Amino acid sequence: MRLEFAITEKQMDDVLHRLFGAGAHRPQDPERGFLAAVFPATGASRRTLLLGQIVEPENGDVYWSRKDGLVMRHRYYSRALSVIQSLPGAGLLNVHSHPRPLTGTSPPAPSDQDLATDARELCFASRALPEGRAMAAAIVTPGGGLSLREYKFRRPRIAAEAVRSAFGPEGAKFAFAERVRVVGPGLRAIWGDPYRKPPRSVLNAAMVDSSILLWGAGGQRVLSALTIGIAGLGGVGGIVAEHLARLGVGTLILVDYDRLEDGNFNRSQGATRSEMALRIPKVEVYSRVAKEAATAPGFQVFPFRESVAESAGLNHLLDCDIVVAAADDAFARQVLDHMAYAHLIPVIDGGTTLVPDSLSMMLTAGKSQIAAAGAEHACLECQGVYSQEEATVARESATWGKYIDVETRGELVTSRQLRAPSVICNNGLVASLIGLRILAIALRVTPATLRGTQRYYVEDGTLAWGAVKGCRSDCLKASWSGQGDAHFIPVGEDIRWKKIRQQEVTDGTPP
Amino acid sequence: MSDAEAELPAPFAEALAYVHSHRDGEVRIDAVKDNFAYLWIGSIAKNQSSETPGGWIRLPLAFPYANPHGLVTREALRSSGERLVSDGHNPNHDMCAPVRGVGGAHYYSWTWENAPQLRSPQDIVGVVQWYERRIRLG
């Protein structure tokens, strides 16, 4: 499992201020440091450590000595451990500064003294916390370069083990975080391992020369290093998958459980009639479409026939840098809204509501809406994308609420959810606005479009920004920021997916 | 602790522990169906000595991030005016099925719409009180 570190932009500013700016604890010292809580956030193939609460050093807690280097007193460790013991799931992070290089984000390498001191201090501190808690050390440079090591220590079970070096600091094993993600309202990923070079992405310049004119080869490399998840491969998600592949995004993770059917063919851009006839799962269809459209050399796409409302589907999205919420379901939206804050993964949601006149069947009203959520964004709930009651109704059994019985030749065939009107042109508009929002977040090409709710009003054809710029004062989402696995994400059973699974087992349908 | 209770999400388990310590009478999970648990509160009542107390609140496993949806009782409920509660009353409804074996026979399909916002596991106590008010109102 690869290791990363994530921190919000606000936290990064605070860290740089504490270590190098006016907020430095002892500005006369060549190196400075502090202790903080750290939370793991675990996906299917990525473990991310997230910065939690910083424990303020008091006078004399941290000082520089010519002989020992940067010293953090045991009384400071003791106080920090008391704080961290009260935070469920939290581990300990030791952060210190290196004065050079002054600019650039190259990851700083630890000195031999750093390695010896950190292993010793963290080993003994780890014994004050429940087994399995994260123990890590990070180094920061003035330009914002950051390297982080996560340590593993063997915990002695018997007295004889306690005196063996394999169970002490000498037995420590550590791994560097490969990347550091600085999140919210934009996203910046920097390389974190000082002993390995970042993979050099080769660009297919002939295919992407028109966009390189806008954001340069550097911007194109940023896109090719991104992993973007798409939850829901319907009319919007399918188009987003193709757009992102053509833009040059390097990796896509697709999650949806539906199959392509005749009822959704009129808005399934890129899908073929034979795929419809064979009722191929949508994730397979759009995996093929994305592969054929991809411009990034080495492009990868991973399809998962799952529901994001269930932990099995969500786990794959926890490996992503950005997630697109195109599932058009309040349960899924609520799950992703929680994920955006707890796991520091920005979410971009999009959908359309079209309202026909019941008599004339003409379109009378409707709107398309795109909203971004996550660190330093308002949450989807406060932006009016879903309500808790809607998310509850979506958890109810399949016979609850808006279902109709479908009859064929007088025989009850199945119960089917009432369908909402949908038009590929509106889906395409939403998909395009989602793509533009991703470019704003990842490349900052249009900084003014990073935050908020963008709405297209169908009846008069206007595009406008919603008034909500932040969460309500009583909203708790920001308080979950960076809690990772310690925060319960309200996944459950997707009742519709459960019924489909059961039916396919009964029918003997191949997966 | 029953097997069902051992696998509950942490905030739900916290709510359960809280209601255990803040309500008289029996509190237990009798069934879990899909995304909802049937939480038996032995003392739920409209505060009149004549009635038979107790009922199952359909509490979402995602509590407090999802809302309670409905109440199941053994006997038909009476409001403070002693009239039978008719609002949302569904005798012998499918929603009773998970607790039918232990007497669940009347389903009241009261959702949490327009009720106070739920913010923490401790709000479970307010949920029980809200259902009691709902019974009194009929």
Side-chain angles (χ1 to χ4, degrees), chain A residues 44 255 304 306-317 491 497 501:
Chain A
V255 182
F304 297 101
E306 298 283 359
S307 165
V308 296
E310 299 188 351
S311 57
L314 177 69
N315 274 350
H316 298 294
L317 297 180
V491 289
W497 174 217
R501 275 181 297 202

Side-chain angles (χ1 to χ4, degrees), chain A residues 219-250:
Chain A
Q220 200 62 43
R221 286 202 174 87
V222 168
L223 291 177
S224 72
L226 281 179
T227 297
I228 298 185
I230 305 177
L233 274 298
V236 171
I239 300 174
V240 171
E242 183 180 346
H243 282 197
L244 296 181
R246 286 192 194 280
L247 273 169
V249 169

Side-chain angles (χ1 to χ4, degrees), chain A residues 3-5 34-38 49 51 70 72 77 91-98 108-111 113-123 134-140 146-153 173-177 180 192 194:
Chain A
L3 179 67
E4 295 195 353
F5 179 60
F34 59 81
L35 298 172
V38 67
L49 295 185
L51 179 64
L70 190 73
M72 294 190 187
Y77 267 99
L92 177 70
L93 175 65
N94 165 327
V95 180
H96 80 273
S97 63
H98 273 189
S111 65
Q113 191 174 47
D114 289 338
L115 292 172
T117 308
D118 293 343
R120 187 180 64 243
E121 303 290 352
L122 291 175
C123 178
M135 304 299 293
I139 305 172
V140 184
L146 195 155
S147 67
L148 176 139
R149 287 155 278 145
E150 183 179 19
Y151 281 84
K152 300 282 180 205
F153 303 102
K173 295 204 179 334
F174 67 82
F176 278 99
V180 176

Side-chain angles (χ1 to χ4, degrees), chain A residues 334 389 396 474 493 498, chain B residues 34-35 64-65 67 69 119:
Chain A
Q334 187 191 40
E389 182 58 21
E396 278 287 4
D474 62 346
E493 265 191 323
K498 184 181 170 187
Chain B
D34 297 333
N35 293 304
Y65 307 125
N67 298 333
H69 259 201
R119 294 171 54 81

Side-chain angles (χ1 to χ4, degrees), chain A residues 451-506:
Chain A
R451 286 193 177 103
T453 319
Q454 211 170 3
R455 295 196 183 105
Y456 172 75
Y457 293 94
V458 171
E459 54 270 41
D460 56 12
T462 53
L463 194 58
W465 286 92
V468 175
K469 298 292 179 209
C471 280
R472 291 187 305 262
S473 59
D474 62 346
C475 179
L476 296 172
K477 305 280 193 320
S479 69
W480 308 333
S481 182
Q483 289 191 356
D485 302 338
H487 176 74
F488 168 70
I489 295 183
V491 289
E493 265 191 323
D494 186 321
I495 303 301
R496 195 168 155 263
W497 174 217
K498 184 181 170 187
K499 280 186 78 174
I500 290 172
R501 275 181 297 202
Q502 288 168 344
Q503 192 62 48
E504 290 187 354
V505 170
T506 307

Side-chain angles (χ1 to χ4, degrees), chain A residues 402-422:
Chain A
K402 296 174 179 172
Y403 278 77
I404 53 168
D405 291 334
V406 178
E407 291 182 31
T408 301
R409 295 191 197 102
E411 238 178 275
L412 180 67
V413 175
T414 181
S415 288
R416 184 180 284 180
Q417 194 161 19
L418 281 175
R419 291 167 65 78
S422 183

Side-chain angles (χ1 to χ4, degrees), chain A residues 258-262 264-265 268 271-272 275-282 285-286:
Chain A
D258 270 331
R259 292 176 179 275
L260 184 68
E261 293 180 343
D262 51 359
N264 40 48
F265 194 64
S268 298
T272 65
E275 286 169 329
M276 177 184 69
L278 292 167
R279 299 182 67 247
I280 302 290
K282 289 177 179 176
V285 172
Y286 284 101

